[in-house]
Amino acid sequence: MANFPKPTRKNLPPPPPPSEVSDNLAQPEHAPAGVYIDGRTLRATGRTTQFTTRITEELQVEIKVFAAQHKLKFNELLEQAFEALKEQMAK
Amino acid sequence: MAQIVGFISQKGGVGKSTLARGLSREAASNGLNVKLADLDTQQGTSVDWYRRRLEHGANPIFSVESFKTASQALRLAQQFDLLLLDGPARASSATLEIAKAASLVVQPSGASVDDLRPAILVFHELVKAGIPKKRLIFALCRIATDAEEAETRAYIDEAGYQTLDGALPERASYRQASNAGLSITETRYPQLNQRADKLLQSMVDKLNG
């Protein structure tokens, strides 16, 4: 009786070729920490430093009225006024 | 300057720490000054294991330390005979740094395609980055049968990589030993210890071959 070698069954698929590599080795050693974003993060303006000065009562009233009429906060008014002053002085 | 062996993998639970601890234990038994560097600070599994080992009163003792980065651990290479880098379960720039410094890069893998495929791709990427193939070697872990071992070896061979002689079979006793701070050559069963020893000896032979 002839001897047949035991048939081998291949259960595993072929291994991946070198062309399939990704760029894992370029990744940082530690995974970057995720940044948590909520409503406050999105509303943040970066205005965190207090700015205080003394002015006359008349100027304060005038600024308050102007800001209310133009729907500006004091900090927005100051920012816009400063930008305008810089532009004017540059001329 | 120490001989450096890196244990790397993109996946967790494949046997990096198990083999690193086993090799540490064997090297220390042979009188070598060994440092096992645990690079996974989030889990610190080898550091915890070593704490259990000290509590258990097992011998020999050696040095296990946690490091945030591979380069921090590599700076200590001068002080030891053997530096073992137990990498995190992630492929990154640190994997390449380990592979560049190490005389031998061991990647444990199970027998499933889920384990083998990403493992082959990590070695492909290291070769592409200039690491010589002869420094990269697979260690078979959690193997169930001889047929499974043979098939896994054939898969790795087809991909163009070497596999260490011997394989770690899937046994609860290895986990029980680990739970008690013991290594894979310190289980209650001489036959399991011998099987682990064969795999580790193959690693030593490759390192000094």
Side-chain angles (χ1 to χ4, degrees):
Chain A
M1 187 176 164
N3 280 328
F4 282 87
K6 199 177 175 183
T8 52
R9 278 174 295 172
K10 201 173 178 185
N11 296 318
L12 298 176
S19 56
E20 277 190 39
V21 297
S22 51
D23 64 341
N24 288 317
L25 299 180
Q27 299 302 312
E29 183 163 1
H30 296 282
V35 179
Y36 179 72
I37 295 176
D38 63 3
R40 286 182 302 179
T41 320
L42 296 171
R43 289 193 299 275
T45 59
R47 298 187 188 107
T48 55
T49 305
Q50 186 148 9
F51 179 81
T52 314
T53 187
R54 289 181 178 276
I55 55 175
T56 61
E57 200 176 334
E58 293 77 21
L59 179 59
Q60 190 206 34
V61 170
E62 203 179 341
I63 288 173
K64 271 188 172 178
V65 170
F66 186 89
Q69 283 172 345
H70 294 84
K71 293 186 177 172
L72 291 171
K73 295 173 186 166
F74 288 167
N75 51 24
E76 291 169 341
L77 189 143
L78 178 65
E79 284 166 5
Q80 290 181 23
F82 185 49
E83 285 305 315
L85 179 63
K86 281 195 289 187
E87 268 182 38
Q88 186 191 326
M89 291 181 77
K91 288 174 192 170
Chain B
M1 183 78 176
Q3 280 191 304
I4 300 169
V5 182
F7 294 85
I8 62 143
S9 170
Q10 198 163 3
K11 300 196 67 172
V14 288
K16 288 184 298 295
S17 300
T18 304
L19 296 180
R21 296 164 193 176
L23 191 61
S24 303
R25 190 265 176 201
E26 292 307 304
S29 297
N30 280 271
L32 267 65
N33 188 13
V34 187
K35 168 72 90 179
L36 171 56
D38 185 347
L39 299 179
D40 193 343
T41 49
Q42 283 184 315
Q43 297 193 66
T45 48
S46 282
V47 172
D48 283 347
W49 169 82
Y50 192 64
R51 199 174 294 131
R52 295 198 296 277
R53 184 175 183 82
L54 294 175
E55 283 168 7
H56 191 267
N59 270 314
I61 55 167
F62 36 93
S63 175
V64 181
E65 195 176 340
S66 183
F67 293 91
K68 179 81 175 164
T69 64
S71 52
Q72 281 174 2
L74 288 168
R75 268 181 234 134
L76 297 181
Q78 301 256 0
Q79 303 168 28
F80 295 90
D81 300 321
L82 185 65
L83 175 65
L84 305 177
L85 303 171
D86 179 10
R90 187 162 181 268
S92 70
S93 56
T95 312
L96 182 57
E97 194 177 357
I98 291 170
K100 280 180 178 167
S103 313
L104 192 65
V105 181
V106 179
Q107 185 169 203
S109 178
S112 73
V113 176
D114 285 346
D115 283 350
L116 286 165
R117 207 183 132 75
I120 296 287
L121 285 171
V122 168
F123 270 2
H124 279 342
E125 207 175 341
L126 286 173
V127 170
K128 193 179 164 192
I131 305 297
K133 258 189 180 181
K134 63 179 182 181
R135 270 201 248 158
L136 308 175
I137 199 143
F138 276 100
L140 302 186
C141 293
R142 312 185 73 163
I143 300 296
T145 64
D146 289 347
E148 194 175 60
E149 183 182 335
E151 202 166 36
T152 311
R153 282 186 190 283
Y155 183 95
I156 293 169
D157 185 57
E158 192 182 339
Y161 297 101
Q162 306 173 79
T163 309
L164 291 169
D165 292 337
L168 218 54
E170 172 75 47
R171 293 286 189 281
S173 302
Y174 287 129
R175 282 189 287 277
Q176 285 163 4
S178 173
N179 293 345
L182 301 173
S183 84
I184 47 176
T185 50
E186 295 172 318
T187 74
R188 293 159 55 198
Y189 302 100
Q191 202 181 359
L192 288 184
N193 297 345
Q194 280 168 16
R195 292 188 73 167
D197 193 51
K198 183 180 177 187
L199 182 64
L200 295 174
Q201 185 60 52
S202 170
M203 216 179 283
V204 174
D205 293 344
K206 282 284 172 200
L207 192 58
N208 297 303

